[in-house]
């Protein structure tokens, strides 16, 4: 008796989706893994490992499979899109997400051991003109990141970190430093971390967030945010809900006496996301109730500027993710529609991600035609920016529709997504957007 093929989860990652498509085409062609391997001069084990996302295939492997399987270029186009949007061997210097590396910094933060080094001499406060120039550049890059995606601005963010932010950090490490300078440094590291996630460099993102945590020093609230929101979201992005939950709970525990409603709501929302990902519906519901209660108590003038983005629409987005993970798709769709309706046209990445989330939920609830129609809108948003996360979300829609691959609307949607998100098309859209 032959061995049962490994069950695939196409929505797990771009590489998983590619593997699922390769298996679908091979099966439709009536070929075994060994037969396909012989035709393209690879071993059966290589075909198996590429199908099960255990190996990143070579370009020649993909092109030969496309030819032998009669895919008409579709498989090769999908692979080009995947490579363009982040499926690759780990880049030099990026070791990937390392959950154990978060434990010591979090413990040090809880115990208050991230402050000034003993005997360090006071540093001079940076010149106001330097602060203003760096703050203006940081705000420009933050807006460009929202509008065009990190693929366009992450090099500029790295330049800011290596130059003015490093200089400001040296001047902001002493007790004579201003809170404005310190917050600017932390904000720059936070943006750099977020941008690194958007280009697929999760190990780099982790390092940026941890650098921001050290730079925050005595700002308990900003430190809590970096641990319980930034790092916890990174853990969720990397599929580690347990670490996300641990981070959000640690951040909440470490800010009992100094938190604000917006920070408590944001932390509770991430706690709810982690519980939902773990399938813990009751705990997720309780955390969402806390997030809702704290949202009602927000007074914008009393909140730190760096959490000014957090509002009812953002919480609706977090709630929608919880509901999708819990399989409550009708409720999720109502929440994500509310979130999308409130977004400005310049928030292109968030529009792409939330529209793709809506399409994914519609596909999961059996609304195939509407899922494809909404998915096209998500493709249009994603094609206008350089954002790995946006493209991953579109591929997640396609993965959710994999069981309906023979439906005409799904075929047309897949072709549309492949064409619009191919590297040349994406580059052209970005030139127009710029």
């Amino acid at each position: 008796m032959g061995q049962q093929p490994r069950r695939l989860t196409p929505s797990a990652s771009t590489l998983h989706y590619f593997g699922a498509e390769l298996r679908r085409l091979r099966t439709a062609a009536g070929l075994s893994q060994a037969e396909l391997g012989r035709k393209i001069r690879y071993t059966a084990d290589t075909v198996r490992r590429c199908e099960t996302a255990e190996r990143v295939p070579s370009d020649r492997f993909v092109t030969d499979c496309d030819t032998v399987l009669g895919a008409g270029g579709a498989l090769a186009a999908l692979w080009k899109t995947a490579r363009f949007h982040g499926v690759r061997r780990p880049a030099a210097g990026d070791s990937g997400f390392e959950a154990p590396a978060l434990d010591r910094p979090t413990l040090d933060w809880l115990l208050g051991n991230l402050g000034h080094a003993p005997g360090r001499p006071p540093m001079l406060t940076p010149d106001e003109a330097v602060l203003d120039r760096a703050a203006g550049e940081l705000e420009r890059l933050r807006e460009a990141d929202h509008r065009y995606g990190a693929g366009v601005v992450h090099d500029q963010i790295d330049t800011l970190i290596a130059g003015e932010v490093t200089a400001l950090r040296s001047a902001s490490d002493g007790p004579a430093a201003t809170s404005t300078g310190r917050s600017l440094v932390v904000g720059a590291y936070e943006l750099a971390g977020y941008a690194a996630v958007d280009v697929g460099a999760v190990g780099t993102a982790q390092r940026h967030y941890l650098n921001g945590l050290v730079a925050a020093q005595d700002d308990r609230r900003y430190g809590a945010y970096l641990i319980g929101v930034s790092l916890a979201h990174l853990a969720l992005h990397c599929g580690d809900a347990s670490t996300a939950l641990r981070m959000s709970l640690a951040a909440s525990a470490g800010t009992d006496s100094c938190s604000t409603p917006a920070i408590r709501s944001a932390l509770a929302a991430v706690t709810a996301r982690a519980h939902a990902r773990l399938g813990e519906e009751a705990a997720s519901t309780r955390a969402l109730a806390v997030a809702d209660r704290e949202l009602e108590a927000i007074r914008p003038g009393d909140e730190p500027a760096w959490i000014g983005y957090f509002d009812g629409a953002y919480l609706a987005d977090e709630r929608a993710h919880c509901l999708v993970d819990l399989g409550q798709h009708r409720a999720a769709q109502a929440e994500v529609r509310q979130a999308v309706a409130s977004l400005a046209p310049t928030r292109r990445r968030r529009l792409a991600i939330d529209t793709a989330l809506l399409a994914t939920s519609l596909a999961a609830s059996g609304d195939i035609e509407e899922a494809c129609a909404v998915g096209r809108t998500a493709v249009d948003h994603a094609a206008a920016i350089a954002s790995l996360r946006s493209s991953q979300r579109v591929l997640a829609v396609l993965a959710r529709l994999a069981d309906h691959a023979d439906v005409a609307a799904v075929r047309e949607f897949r072709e549309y997504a492949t064409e619009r998100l191919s590297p040349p098309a994406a580059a052209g859209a970005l030139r127009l957007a710029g």
Side-chain angles (χ1 to χ4, degrees):
M1 180 180 294
Q3 187 178 28
Q4 279 292 105
R6 176 183 173 187
R7 181 175 177 79
L8 292 174
T9 306
S11 57
S13 70
T14 306
L15 196 56
H16 275 263
Y17 177 61
F18 174 82
E21 281 293 284
L22 175 58
R23 178 181 288 180
R24 182 183 68 81
L25 290 166
R26 176 181 60 76
T27 302
L31 296 174
S32 67
Q33 292 172 341
E35 288 168 336
L36 175 59
R38 282 195 295 272
K39 287 179 177 289
I40 61 174
R41 301 180 301 284
Y42 281 89
T43 66
D45 187 61
T46 297
V47 175
R48 178 191 65 78
R49 294 178 67 201
C50 290
E51 285 189 0
T52 54
E54 297 172 44
R55 174 171 176 165
V56 176
S58 68
D59 291 341
R60 185 176 76 80
F61 176 94
V62 175
T63 301
D64 289 350
C65 284
D66 196 303
T67 301
V68 169
L69 297 176
L75 190 63
L78 169 61
W79 182 241
K80 286 179 182 178
T81 301
R83 288 295 298 269
F84 182 66
H85 293 289
V87 173
R88 57 187 181 271
R89 294 173 179 83
D94 192 279
S95 57
F97 179 66
E98 298 177 357
L102 301 181
D103 292 336
R104 184 70 206 192
T106 301
L107 179 60
D108 284 342
W109 174 80
L110 283 167
L111 296 176
N113 292 338
L114 285 174
H116 314 294
R120 177 179 293 171
M123 297 291 182
L124 294 176
T125 301
D127 184 87
E128 289 297 323
V130 175
L131 282 175
D132 288 345
R133 186 168 60 251
E137 179 66 0
L138 180 60
E139 188 55 36
R140 182 189 73 80
L141 290 173
R142 186 176 282 121
E143 182 59 32
D145 177 59
H146 285 303
R147 186 185 291 262
Y148 303 122
V152 171
V153 300
H154 78 279
D155 285 343
Q156 298 172 59
I157 296 171
D158 287 346
T159 298
L160 181 67
I161 291 288
E164 290 183 288
V165 169
T166 297
L168 285 172
R169 182 173 180 178
S170 297
S172 299
D173 266 348
T178 64
S179 60
T180 300
R182 191 168 291 153
S183 292
L184 194 153
V185 170
V186 179
Y189 279 119
E190 180 201 343
L191 176 61
Y194 194 81
V197 175
D198 204 35
V199 297
V202 294
T204 301
Q206 181 172 327
R207 288 195 298 277
H208 282 314
Y209 288 144
L210 290 176
N211 280 334
L213 180 63
V214 173
Q217 295 190 22
D218 297 329
D219 189 339
R220 297 292 290 179
R221 297 185 299 185
Y222 216 157
Y225 179 87
L226 288 167
I227 291 171
V229 177
S230 298
L231 284 166
H233 268 138
L234 176 61
L236 284 172
H237 176 76
C238 295
D240 190 344
S242 296
T243 293
L245 181 60
R246 192 167 72 252
M247 294 297 102
S248 66
L249 293 177
S252 298
T255 50
D256 277 343
S257 61
C258 63
S259 192
T260 67
I263 295 170
R264 287 192 292 269
S265 186
L267 292 173
V270 179
T271 300
R273 288 277 305 272
H275 280 303
R277 189 73 62 82
L278 292 167
E280 299 165 354
E281 181 176 350
S284 181
T285 301
R286 287 194 298 271
L288 283 174
V290 172
D292 286 334
R293 185 173 66 248
E294 295 293 348
L295 180 72
E296 294 299 318
I298 291 176
R299 301 291 180 267
D302 298 332
E303 298 289 342
W306 43 262
I307 201 168
Y309 72 89
F310 192 89
D311 56 15
Y314 189 91
L315 184 55
D317 171 87
E318 295 282 74
R319 191 182 296 109
H321 279 87
C322 291
L323 293 167
V324 167
D325 284 338
L326 292 170
Q328 300 176 19
H329 291 290
R330 296 304 178 195
Q333 290 155 25
E335 295 288 349
V336 76
R337 289 182 197 277
Q338 175 188 335
V340 168
S342 69
L343 288 169
T346 55
R347 291 297 190 261
R348 286 173 172 161
R349 178 174 49 219
R350 179 54 56 188
L351 284 166
I353 290 172
D354 282 358
T355 306
L357 179 66
L358 176 58
T360 300
S361 181
L362 287 165
S365 61
D367 301 306
I368 305 305
E369 298 281 344
E370 188 178 2
C372 292
V374 173
R376 281 175 174 258
T377 302
V379 168
D380 292 339
H381 288 310
I385 55 178
S387 164
L388 167 63
R389 293 175 63 218
S390 299
S391 296
Q392 284 178 330
R393 294 303 183 93
V394 170
L395 292 179
V397 180
L398 290 165
R400 184 67 76 164
L401 291 166
D403 289 341
H404 307 277
D406 293 331
V407 175
V410 174
R411 283 200 309 273
E412 292 166 3
F413 171 51
R414 185 170 62 239
E415 291 167 1
Y416 184 76
T418 300
E419 178 182 357
R420 294 279 283 129
L421 292 180
S422 64
L430 287 169
R431 282 195 295 272
L432 291 173

